[in-house]
């Protein structure tokens, strides 16, 4: 598979990966400038930086970077001779006696947003999220609302029953869940399944009034347990920035997401 196509495929499925590219090659190094290799979150590699011991070294370093590393440049001396090198140069035992410089570019997963409900507010929010660096999934039990023509902007469209889906889905850690369905009973069941399963979430938001939000919490405490942690639950949803249109409500939700994502303290009235 072409490396560029593989990069686009991994980005489209929101998978973390590292691209290592030869940016300088001297002597008899097997990898020439422009050679690249991609290592995905499962440790699988695509492409090449020349093969042999240098490729093994590069793949192993990519795996280390997948655990939380940053973009960087590394120098390698390919030799079996016992020589003193610069402090920032790694010696790789190879016969070719060449030099290569590798640029490592780390692509992490985007925060995953599950939007339940493709109505007007959901559609408005989907128009905003791509520019903010989120990977969004739209879930709705109505086909006419769960498609790219009606609700453009989602990375994935899932038309299914809300209750069945939230009983089985496996979101990533620190995922984001926004309930904007066409019925409070749906919102409640979604919330209930998230809390019953004790999913690791960054944010849960439910569109509601203050009184309805209070009722949702009371019902959860009654039916799920009195030891629930509501610190990640935001209902009413969104920051108080004013406005009542779908776009204005979506903007308030996006602003609240950003404040939580970057751990900014926002004073709520």
């Amino acid at each position: 598979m072409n490396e560029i196509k593989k990069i686009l495929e991994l980005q489209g499925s929101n998978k973390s990966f590292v691209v290592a590219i030869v940016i300088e090659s001297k002597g008899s190094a097997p990898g020439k400038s422009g050679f690249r290799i991609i290592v995905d979150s499962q440790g699988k590699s695509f492409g090449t930086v020349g093969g042999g011991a240098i490729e093994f070294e590069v793949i192993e370093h990519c795996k280390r970077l997948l655990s939380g590393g940053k973009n960087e440049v590394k120098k390698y001396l390919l030799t079996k001779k016992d020589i003193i090198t610069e402090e920032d140069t790694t010696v790789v035992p190879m016969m070719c006696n060449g030099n290569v410089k590798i640029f490592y570019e780390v692509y992490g997963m985007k925060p995953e947003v599950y939007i339940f409900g493709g109505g007007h507010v959901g559609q408005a929010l989907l128009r905003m999220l791509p520019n903010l660096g989120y990977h969004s999934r739209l879930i709705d039990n109505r086909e006419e609302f769960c498609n790219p023509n009606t609700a453009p902007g989602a990375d994935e469209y899932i038309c299914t029953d809300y209750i069945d889906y939230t009983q089985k889905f496996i979101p990533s850690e620190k995922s984001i869940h926004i309930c904007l369905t066409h019925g409070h009973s749906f919102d409640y069941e979604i919330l209930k399944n998230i809390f019953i399963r004790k999913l690791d979430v960054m944010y849960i938001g439910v569109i509601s009034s203050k009184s309805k939000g209070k009722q949702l919490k009371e019902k959860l405490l009654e039916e799920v347990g009195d030891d629930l942690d509501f610190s990640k639950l935001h209902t009413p949803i969104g920051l108080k920035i004013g406005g009542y249109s779908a776009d204005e409500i979506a903007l308030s939700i996006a602003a609240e997401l950003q404040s939580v994502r970057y751990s900014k303290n926002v004073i709520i009235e």
Side-chain angles (χ1 to χ4, degrees):
M1 176 182 287
N2 180 278
E3 290 89 355
I4 300 301
K5 288 183 179 179
K6 187 62 184 179
I7 290 172
L8 294 174
E9 176 192 305
L10 291 168
Q11 287 180 320
S13 57
N14 198 31
K15 303 296 185 182
S16 57
F17 62 98
V18 177
V19 178
I21 183 169
V22 179
I23 58 174
E24 187 177 294
S25 176
K26 296 180 180 179
S28 301
K32 305 307 178 185
S33 182
F35 280 30
R36 66 166 66 87
I37 195 167
I38 303 158
V39 179
D40 67 14
S41 57
Q42 304 301 313
K44 295 180 180 178
S45 61
F46 310 84
T48 184
V49 288
I54 180 59
E55 188 151 306
F56 177 82
E57 176 68 28
V58 168
I59 290 173
E60 291 303 304
H61 191 62
C62 285
K63 291 178 182 178
R64 291 191 287 270
L65 291 175
L66 281 166
S67 300
K70 298 180 180 180
N71 296 353
E72 64 176 342
V73 174
K74 287 182 69 69
K75 299 177 184 177
Y76 297 93
L77 175 60
L78 315 181
T79 182
K80 287 192 172 183
K81 296 179 180 178
D82 186 13
I83 60 175
I84 298 175
T85 64
E86 298 177 15
E87 187 176 339
D88 62 346
T89 299
T90 300
V91 176
V92 179
M94 295 181 72
M95 294 290 292
C96 51
N97 296 319
N99 292 271
V100 292
K101 189 182 291 185
I102 305 283
F103 173 58
Y104 293 90
E105 188 169 15
V106 182
Y107 293 79
M109 283 182 62
K110 297 177 181 178
E112 291 192 330
V113 181
Y114 292 80
I115 299 177
F116 297 92
H120 296 305
V121 175
Q123 293 170 30
L125 186 58
L126 283 171
R127 291 194 291 269
M128 298 179 185
L129 293 183
N131 293 328
L132 297 176
Y134 293 97
H135 183 89
S136 58
R137 292 182 173 90
L138 175 62
I139 302 95
D140 202 302
N141 59 5
R142 304 163 295 176
E143 290 185 5
E144 64 270 27
F145 285 89
C146 192
N147 63 77
N149 293 321
T150 304
D155 294 289
E156 299 179 43
Y157 295 86
I158 305 168
C159 185
T160 188
D161 178 76
Y162 293 122
I163 298 174
D164 183 63
Y165 180 77
T166 51
Q167 286 175 340
K168 300 175 182 177
F169 79 136
I170 305 176
S172 62
E173 295 181 357
K174 307 302 179 186
S175 51
I176 295 164
H177 306 265
I178 301 173
C179 299
L180 307 170
T181 72
H182 53 293
H184 284 298
S185 60
F186 293 134
D187 293 334
Y188 176 73
E189 292 299 329
I190 293 167
L191 276 182
K192 183 179 177 180
N193 285 334
I194 290 173
F195 278 102
I196 286 176
R197 296 179 61 196
K198 298 181 180 180
L199 297 177
D200 181 8
V201 303
M202 179 193 303
Y203 175 100
I204 310 172
V206 184
I207 192 166
S208 70
S209 63
K210 283 186 177 180
S211 60
K212 193 64 182 180
K214 182 179 179 181
Q215 291 173 30
L216 284 172
K217 292 178 181 178
E218 290 174 348
K219 192 174 181 180
L220 285 169
L221 290 171
E222 180 182 343
E223 295 191 0
V224 181
D226 57 8
D227 61 342
L228 301 182
D229 179 8
F230 290 141
S231 62
K232 307 294 177 62
L233 177 58
H234 299 257
T235 183
I237 196 171
L239 298 183
K240 288 188 174 183
I241 58 177
Y244 298 98
S245 70
D247 286 300
E248 290 167 327
I249 295 171
L251 178 60
S252 75
I253 296 171
E256 188 169 64
L257 284 184
Q258 290 297 93
S259 71
V260 172
R261 180 180 179 181
Y262 293 106
S263 303
K264 299 296 182 182
N265 295 321
V266 179
I267 298 175
I268 306 296
E269 296 180 3

